[in-house]
Coordinates of all heavy atoms in Angstrom, one line a residue:
R1 N 10.9 -18.5 4.8 CA 10.6 -19.4 3.7 C 9.4 -20.2 3.8 O 9.2 -20.7 5.0 CB 11.8 -20.5 3.4 CG 13.1 -19.8 3.1 CD 14.1 -20.8 2.4 NE 15.2 -20.0 1.9 CZ 15.2 -19.4 0.7 NH1 14.2 -19.6 -0.1 NH2 16.3 -18.8 0.3
G2 N 8.6 -20.3 2.8 CA 7.3 -21.0 2.9 C 6.1 -20.4 3.5 O 5.1 -20.9 3.7
A3 N 6.3 -19.1 3.8 CA 5.3 -18.3 4.6 C 4.3 -17.9 3.5 O 4.5 -17.8 2.2 CB 5.9 -17.1 5.2
R4 N 3.0 -17.6 3.9 CA 1.9 -17.0 3.1 C 1.9 -15.6 3.6 O 1.5 -15.3 4.7 CB 0.7 -17.8 3.3 CG 0.7 -19.2 3.0 CD -0.5 -19.9 3.4 NE -0.7 -19.8 4.9 CZ -1.8 -19.7 5.6 NH1 -2.9 -19.9 4.9 NH2 -1.8 -19.6 6.8
I5 N 2.1 -14.7 2.6 CA 2.1 -13.2 3.0 C 1.0 -12.4 2.3 O 0.7 -12.7 1.0 CB 3.5 -12.6 2.6 CG1 4.6 -13.3 3.3 CG2 3.4 -11.1 3.0 CD1 4.6 -13.3 4.7
A6 N 0.3 -11.6 2.9 CA -0.8 -10.8 2.3 C -0.1 -9.4 2.2 O 0.4 -8.8 3.1 CB -2.0 -10.7 3.2
L7 N -0.4 -8.9 1.0 CA 0.0 -7.5 0.7 C -1.3 -6.6 0.6 O -2.1 -6.9 -0.3 CB 0.8 -7.3 -0.5 CG 2.2 -8.2 -0.4 CD1 2.8 -8.1 -1.8 CD2 3.0 -7.8 0.8
L8 N -1.5 -5.6 1.5 CA -2.7 -4.9 1.6 C -2.4 -3.5 0.9 O -1.6 -2.7 1.4 CB -3.2 -4.7 3.0 CG -4.4 -3.8 3.2 CD1 -5.6 -4.3 2.4 CD2 -4.7 -3.7 4.7
D9 N -3.2 -3.2 -0.2 CA -3.1 -1.9 -0.8 C -4.0 -1.0 -0.1 O -5.2 -1.2 -0.1 CB -3.5 -2.1 -2.4 CG -3.6 -0.8 -3.1 OD1 -3.6 0.3 -2.5 OD2 -3.5 -0.8 -4.3
N10 N -3.6 0.0 0.6 CA -4.5 0.9 1.3 C -5.1 1.9 0.5 O -5.8 2.8 1.0 CB -3.6 1.5 2.5 CG -2.6 2.5 2.1 OD1 -2.4 2.7 0.9 ND2 -2.0 3.3 3.1
G11 N -5.0 2.0 -0.7 CA -5.6 2.9 -1.6 C -4.8 4.2 -1.8 O -5.3 5.0 -2.6
K12 N -3.7 4.4 -1.4 CA -2.9 5.6 -1.6 C -2.2 5.4 -2.9 O -1.9 4.3 -3.3 CB -1.9 5.9 -0.4 CG -2.7 6.4 0.9 CD -1.7 6.9 1.8 CE -2.5 7.4 3.1 NZ -1.6 8.0 4.1
E13 N -1.9 6.5 -3.4 CA -1.2 6.5 -4.8 C 0.1 5.7 -4.7 O 0.9 5.9 -3.8 CB -0.9 7.9 -5.2 CG -0.2 8.0 -6.6 CD -0.1 9.5 -7.1 OE1 0.1 10.4 -6.2 OE2 -0.1 9.8 -8.2
F14 N 0.3 4.9 -5.6 CA 1.5 4.0 -5.9 C 1.6 2.8 -4.9 O 2.6 2.2 -4.9 CB 2.8 4.8 -5.7 CG 2.9 5.9 -6.9 CD1 2.9 7.2 -6.5 CD2 2.8 5.5 -8.2 CE1 2.9 8.2 -7.4 CE2 2.9 6.6 -9.1 CZ 3.0 7.9 -8.8
S15 N 0.7 2.7 -3.9 CA 0.8 1.5 -3.0 C 0.8 0.2 -3.7 O 1.3 -0.7 -3.4 CB -0.2 1.7 -1.8 OG -1.5 1.6 -2.3
D16 N -0.1 0.2 -4.8 CA -0.2 -1.0 -5.6 C 1.2 -1.4 -6.3 O 1.6 -2.6 -6.3 CB -1.3 -1.0 -6.7 CG -1.1 0.2 -7.7 OD1 -0.3 1.1 -7.3 OD2 -1.7 0.0 -8.7
D17 N 1.9 -0.4 -6.7 CA 3.2 -0.6 -7.3 C 4.2 -1.1 -6.2 O 5.0 -2.0 -6.5 CB 3.7 0.6 -8.0 CG 3.0 1.1 -9.2 OD1 2.4 0.3 -9.8 OD2 2.9 2.4 -9.5
D18 N 4.2 -0.5 -5.0 CA 5.0 -0.9 -3.9 C 4.8 -2.4 -3.6 O 5.6 -3.1 -3.4 CB 4.8 0.0 -2.6 CG 5.3 1.4 -2.9 OD1 5.9 1.7 -3.8 OD2 4.9 2.2 -2.1
N19 N 3.5 -2.8 -3.4 CA 3.2 -4.1 -3.1 C 3.7 -5.1 -4.2 O 4.1 -6.2 -3.8 CB 1.8 -4.3 -2.9 CG 1.3 -3.8 -1.5 OD1 2.2 -3.6 -0.7 ND2 0.0 -3.5 -1.3
K20 N 3.5 -4.8 -5.4 CA 4.0 -5.7 -6.5 C 5.5 -5.8 -6.4 O 6.1 -7.0 -6.5 CB 3.6 -5.1 -7.9 CG 2.1 -5.3 -8.2 CD 1.8 -4.6 -9.4 CE 0.2 -4.6 -9.6 NZ -0.2 -3.9 -10.7
G21 N 6.3 -4.8 -6.1 CA 7.7 -4.9 -5.9 C 8.1 -5.8 -4.8 O 9.0 -6.5 -4.8
I22 N 7.4 -5.4 -3.6 CA 7.6 -6.2 -2.4 C 7.4 -7.6 -2.6 O 8.0 -8.5 -2.1 CB 6.8 -5.6 -1.2 CG1 7.4 -4.2 -0.8 CG2 6.8 -6.5 0.0 CD1 6.5 -3.4 0.1
G23 N 6.2 -8.0 -3.2 CA 5.8 -9.3 -3.5 C 6.9 -10.1 -4.3 O 7.1 -11.3 -4.1
T24 N 7.4 -9.5 -5.3 CA 8.4 -10.0 -6.2 C 9.7 -10.4 -5.4 O 10.2 -11.6 -5.5 CB 8.8 -9.1 -7.3 OG1 7.5 -8.9 -8.2 CG2 9.8 -9.7 -8.3
V25 N 10.1 -9.5 -4.6 CA 11.2 -9.7 -3.7 C 11.0 -10.9 -2.7 O 11.9 -11.8 -2.6 CB 11.7 -8.4 -3.0 CG1 12.8 -8.8 -2.0 CG2 12.2 -7.4 -4.0
L26 N 9.9 -10.8 -2.1 CA 9.6 -11.8 -1.1 C 9.5 -13.2 -1.6 O 10.2 -14.2 -1.1 CB 8.2 -11.5 -0.4 CG 8.3 -10.3 0.6 CD1 6.8 -10.0 1.0 CD2 9.1 -10.6 1.8
K27 N 8.9 -13.4 -2.8 CA 8.8 -14.7 -3.4 C 10.1 -15.1 -4.1 O 10.5 -16.3 -3.9 CB 7.7 -14.6 -4.5 CG 7.2 -16.0 -4.9 CD 5.8 -15.9 -5.5 CE 5.3 -17.2 -5.6 NZ 4.0 -17.3 -5.8
H28 N 10.8 -14.4 -4.8 CA 11.9 -14.8 -5.6 C 13.3 -14.8 -4.8 O 14.2 -15.5 -5.2 CB 12.0 -14.1 -6.9 CG 10.9 -14.2 -7.9 ND1 10.7 -15.4 -8.4 CD2 9.8 -13.4 -8.2 CE1 9.5 -15.3 -9.1 NE2 9.0 -14.1 -9.1
E29 N 13.3 -13.9 -3.8 CA 14.7 -13.8 -3.2 C 14.6 -14.4 -1.8 O 15.6 -14.8 -1.2 CB 15.0 -12.3 -3.1 CG 15.4 -11.8 -4.5 CD 16.0 -10.3 -4.4 OE1 16.6 -10.0 -3.4 OE2 15.8 -9.7 -5.4
L30 N 13.4 -14.4 -1.1 CA 13.3 -14.9 0.2 C 12.5 -16.2 0.5 O 12.2 -16.7 1.4 CB 12.7 -13.7 1.0 CG 13.5 -12.4 1.2 CD1 12.8 -11.4 1.9 CD2 14.9 -12.8 1.8
G31 N 11.9 -16.8 -0.8 CA 11.3 -18.0 -0.7 C 9.9 -18.1 -0.1 O 9.5 -19.1 0.3
V32 N 9.2 -16.9 -0.1 CA 7.8 -16.9 0.4 C 7.1 -17.9 -0.5 O 7.1 -17.8 -1.7 CB 7.2 -15.5 0.4 CG1 5.7 -15.5 0.6 CG2 8.0 -14.7 1.5
K33 N 6.2 -18.6 0.1 CA 5.4 -19.7 -0.6 C 4.2 -19.0 -1.5 O 3.9 -19.4 -2.6 CB 4.7 -20.6 0.4 CG 3.8 -21.7 -0.3 CD 3.3 -22.5 0.9 CE 2.4 -23.6 0.3 NZ 1.8 -24.4 1.4
E34 N 3.5 -18.1 -0.8 CA 2.3 -17.5 -1.5 C 2.2 -16.0 -1.2 O 2.4 -15.6 0.0 CB 1.1 -18.2 -1.0 CG -0.1 -17.7 -1.5 CD -1.4 -18.5 -1.0 OE1 -1.2 -19.5 -0.3 OE2 -2.5 -18.0 -1.3
I35 N 1.9 -15.2 -2.2 CA 1.7 -13.7 -2.0 C 0.3 -13.5 -2.5 O -0.2 -13.9 -3.6 CB 2.5 -13.0 -2.9 CG1 4.0 -13.2 -2.5 CG2 2.1 -11.5 -2.8 CD1 4.5 -12.6 -1.2
K36 N -0.5 -13.0 -1.6 CA -1.9 -12.6 -1.9 C -2.2 -11.1 -1.8 O -1.8 -10.5 -0.9 CB -2.9 -13.3 -1.1 CG -4.3 -13.1 -1.6 CD -5.3 -14.1 -1.0 CE -6.8 -13.9 -1.5 NZ -7.7 -14.7 -0.9
L37 N -2.6 -10.5 -2.9 CA -2.8 -9.0 -2.9 C -4.3 -8.7 -2.5 O -5.2 -9.3 -3.0 CB -2.5 -8.4 -4.4 CG -1.1 -8.7 -4.9 CD1 -1.0 -8.2 -6.3 CD2 -0.2 -7.9 -4.0
W38 N -4.5 -7.7 -1.6 CA -5.7 -7.4 -1.2 C -5.8 -5.9 -1.5 O -4.9 -5.1 -1.3 CB -6.0 -7.6 0.4 CG -5.9 -9.1 0.7 CD1 -4.8 -9.9 0.8 CD2 -7.0 -9.8 1.0 NE1 -5.2 -11.1 1.2 CE2 -6.6 -11.1 1.2 CE3 -8.4 -9.6 1.1 CZ2 -7.4 -12.2 1.6 CZ3 -9.3 -10.6 1.4 CH2 -8.8 -12.0 1.7
D39 N -7.0 -5.3 -1.8 CA -7.2 -4.0 -2.2 C -8.3 -3.2 -1.4 O -9.5 -3.7 -1.5 CB -7.5 -3.8 -3.6 CG -7.4 -2.4 -4.2 OD1 -7.3 -1.5 -3.4 OD2 -7.7 -2.2 -5.4
K40 N -7.9 -2.4 -0.5 CA -8.8 -1.7 0.3 C -9.5 -0.5 -0.4 O -10.6 -0.1 -0.1 CB -8.1 -1.0 1.6 CG -8.9 -0.7 2.6 CD -8.1 -0.2 3.9 CE -8.1 1.2 4.0 NZ -7.7 1.7 5.3
Q41 N -8.9 0.0 -1.5 CA -9.4 0.9 -2.5 C -9.4 2.4 -2.0 O -9.3 3.3 -2.8 CB -10.8 0.6 -3.0 CG -10.8 -0.7 -3.7 CD -12.1 -1.2 -4.3 OE1 -13.1 -0.6 -4.0 NE2 -12.1 -2.2 -5.1
F42 N -9.6 2.6 -0.8 CA -9.7 4.1 -0.3 C -9.0 4.2 1.1 O -9.5 3.4 2.0 CB -11.1 4.6 -0.3 CG -11.3 6.0 0.0 CD1 -10.9 7.0 -1.0 CD2 -11.8 6.5 1.2 CE1 -11.1 8.3 -0.8 CE2 -11.9 7.8 1.5 CZ -11.4 8.7 0.4
P43 N -8.0 5.0 1.3 CA -7.3 5.1 2.6 C -8.2 5.2 3.8 O -7.9 4.7 4.8 CB -6.4 6.4 2.4 CG -6.2 6.5 0.9 CD -7.5 6.1 0.4
A44 N -9.2 6.1 3.8 CA -9.9 6.3 5.0 C -11.1 5.4 5.2 O -11.8 5.4 6.1 CB -10.6 7.8 4.8
K45 N -11.3 4.4 4.3 CA -12.4 3.4 4.4 C -11.9 2.2 5.1 O -10.7 1.8 5.0 CB -12.8 3.0 2.9 CG -13.9 2.1 2.9 CD -14.3 1.9 1.4 CE -15.4 0.9 1.4 NZ -15.6 0.5 0.0
G46 N -12.7 1.6 6.0 CA -12.3 0.4 6.6 C -12.2 -0.8 5.6 O -12.7 -0.7 4.5
A47 N -11.6 -1.9 6.0 CA -11.5 -3.0 5.2 C -12.3 -4.2 5.8 O -11.9 -4.8 6.8 CB -10.0 -3.4 5.1
P48 N -13.5 -4.4 5.3 CA -14.4 -5.4 5.9 C -13.8 -6.9 5.7 O -14.3 -7.7 6.4 CB -15.7 -5.2 5.0 CG -15.2 -4.7 3.8 CD -14.0 -3.8 4.1
F49 N -12.9 -7.0 4.9 CA -12.3 -8.4 4.7 C -11.2 -8.7 5.7 O -10.6 -9.8 5.5 CB -11.8 -8.5 3.3 CG -10.8 -7.4 2.8 CD1 -9.5 -7.4 3.2 CD2 -11.4 -6.4 2.1 CE1 -8.8 -6.4 2.8 CE2 -10.5 -5.4 1.6 CZ -9.2 -5.3 2.1
I50 N -10.9 -7.9 6.7 CA -9.8 -8.2 7.7 C -9.8 -9.7 8.2 O -8.8 -10.4 8.3 CB -9.7 -7.2 8.7 CG1 -9.3 -5.8 8.0 CG2 -8.7 -7.6 9.8 CD1 -8.0 -5.8 7.5
P51 N -11.0 -10.2 8.7 CA -11.1 -11.5 9.2 C -10.6 -12.6 8.3 O -9.8 -13.5 8.5 CB -12.5 -11.7 9.7 CG -13.0 -10.3 9.9 CD -12.3 -9.5 8.9
E52 N -11.0 -12.4 7.0 CA -10.6 -13.4 6.0 C -9.2 -13.3 5.7 O -8.5 -14.3 5.6 CB -11.5 -13.1 4.6 CG -11.2 -14.1 3.6 CD -11.9 -13.7 2.3 OE1 -12.8 -12.8 2.4 OE2 -11.6 -14.3 1.3
L53 N -8.7 -12.0 5.6 CA -7.3 -11.8 5.3 C -6.4 -12.4 6.4 O -5.6 -13.2 6.1 CB -7.0 -10.3 5.3 CG -5.7 -9.8 4.9 CD1 -5.8 -8.4 4.3 CD2 -4.8 -9.8 6.0
A54 N -6.8 -12.2 7.7 CA -6.1 -12.8 8.8 C -6.0 -14.3 8.7 O -5.0 -14.9 9.1 CB -6.6 -12.3 10.1
Q55 N -7.0 -15.0 8.4 CA -7.1 -16.4 8.3 C -6.3 -17.0 7.1 O -6.0 -18.2 7.2 CB -8.5 -17.0 8.3 CG -9.2 -16.7 9.6 CD -10.7 -17.1 9.5 OE1 -11.2 -17.5 8.5 NE2 -11.4 -17.2 10.6
S56 N -6.1 -16.2 6.1 CA -5.5 -16.7 4.8 C -3.9 -16.7 4.8 O -3.4 -16.9 3.8 CB -6.1 -16.1 3.7 OG -5.7 -14.8 3.6
C57 N -3.3 -15.9 5.9 CA -1.8 -15.7 5.7 C -1.2 -15.9 7.0 O -1.8 -15.9 8.0 CB -1.8 -14.3 5.1 SG -2.4 -13.0 6.1
D58 N 0.1 -15.7 7.0 CA 1.0 -15.8 8.2 C 1.4 -14.4 8.6 O 1.7 -14.1 9.8 CB 2.2 -16.6 7.9 CG 1.9 -17.9 7.6 OD1 1.2 -18.7 8.2 OD2 2.4 -18.4 6.4
A59 N 1.4 -13.4 7.7 CA 1.8 -12.0 8.0 C 1.1 -11.1 6.9 O 0.8 -11.5 5.8 CB 3.3 -11.9 7.9
V60 N 1.0 -9.8 7.4 CA 0.4 -8.9 6.4 C 1.3 -7.7 6.3 O 1.9 -7.2 7.3 CB -1.0 -8.3 6.9 CG1 -1.5 -7.2 6.0 CG2 -1.9 -9.4 7.1
I61 N 1.5 -7.2 5.1 CA 2.3 -5.9 4.8 C 1.5 -5.0 4.2 O 0.7 -5.3 3.2 CB 3.5 -6.3 4.0 CG1 4.5 -7.2 4.7 CG2 4.2 -4.9 3.6 CD1 5.6 -7.7 3.8
T62 N 1.3 -3.8 4.7 CA 0.4 -2.8 4.2 C 1.2 -1.9 3.3 O 2.2 -1.2 3.9 CB -0.3 -2.0 5.3 OG1 -1.1 -2.9 6.0 CG2 -1.3 -1.0 4.7
G63 N 0.9 -1.7 2.1 CA 1.5 -0.6 1.3 C 1.0 0.8 1.5 O -0.1 1.0 1.6
V64 N 1.9 1.7 1.7 CA 1.5 3.1 2.2 C 1.4 4.0 1.1 O 0.8 5.0 1.1 CB 2.3 3.5 3.3 CG1 2.2 2.7 4.5 CG2 3.7 3.6 2.8
G65 N 2.1 3.8 -0.1 CA 2.1 4.8 -1.2 C 2.5 6.2 -0.6 O 3.3 6.3 0.2
H66 N 2.0 7.1 -1.3 CA 2.2 8.6 -0.8 C 1.2 9.4 -1.1 O 0.3 9.2 -1.8 CB 3.6 9.0 -1.3 CG 3.6 9.4 -2.8 ND1 3.0 10.5 -3.3 CD2 4.1 8.6 -3.8 CE1 3.3 10.5 -4.7 NE2 3.9 9.4 -5.0

C-alpha cells in the first residue's frame, strides 16, 4: 500500500494491454499510490530513461506481451 509502481511496456504485442490491467489491479485492489506507464517502444532497443524511471518509483514491472 502506498507504493509508486512503474509499468514498463517493452514494445511487444499486447504488453500495453497487460500493463493497463496490472495497473488497475494494483491501484484498486492493492492500494498502490501511483502507477506510471513507461514505453520502450521496441523490444530490442535500449531504454535511455532507466535512471529517471528508477528514481521515480519503488518498483518496476515489465510487460512482456507475446
Side-chain angles (χ1 to χ4, degrees):
R1 296 199 171 274
R4 299 168 303 147
I5 306 294
L7 300 175
L8 177 59
D9 179 341
N10 68 354
K12 290 190 176 181
E13 186 177 26
F14 302 118
S15 61
D16 57 338
D17 293 333
D18 290 345
N19 280 343
K20 288 175 188 172
I22 290 167
T24 298
V25 170
L26 289 172
K27 196 158 195 163
H28 297 290
E29 295 185 25
L30 299 177
V32 168
K33 177 182 177 180
E34 180 183 348
I35 300 290
K36 186 166 181 181
L37 301 174
W38 296 77
D39 187 0
K40 194 170 114 166
Q41 297 182 351
F42 188 72
K45 183 179 176 184
F49 51 78
I50 294 295
E52 180 184 353
L53 185 153
Q55 291 179 351
S56 72
C57 64
D58 300 308
V60 177
I61 298 172
T62 300
V64 294
H66 68 80

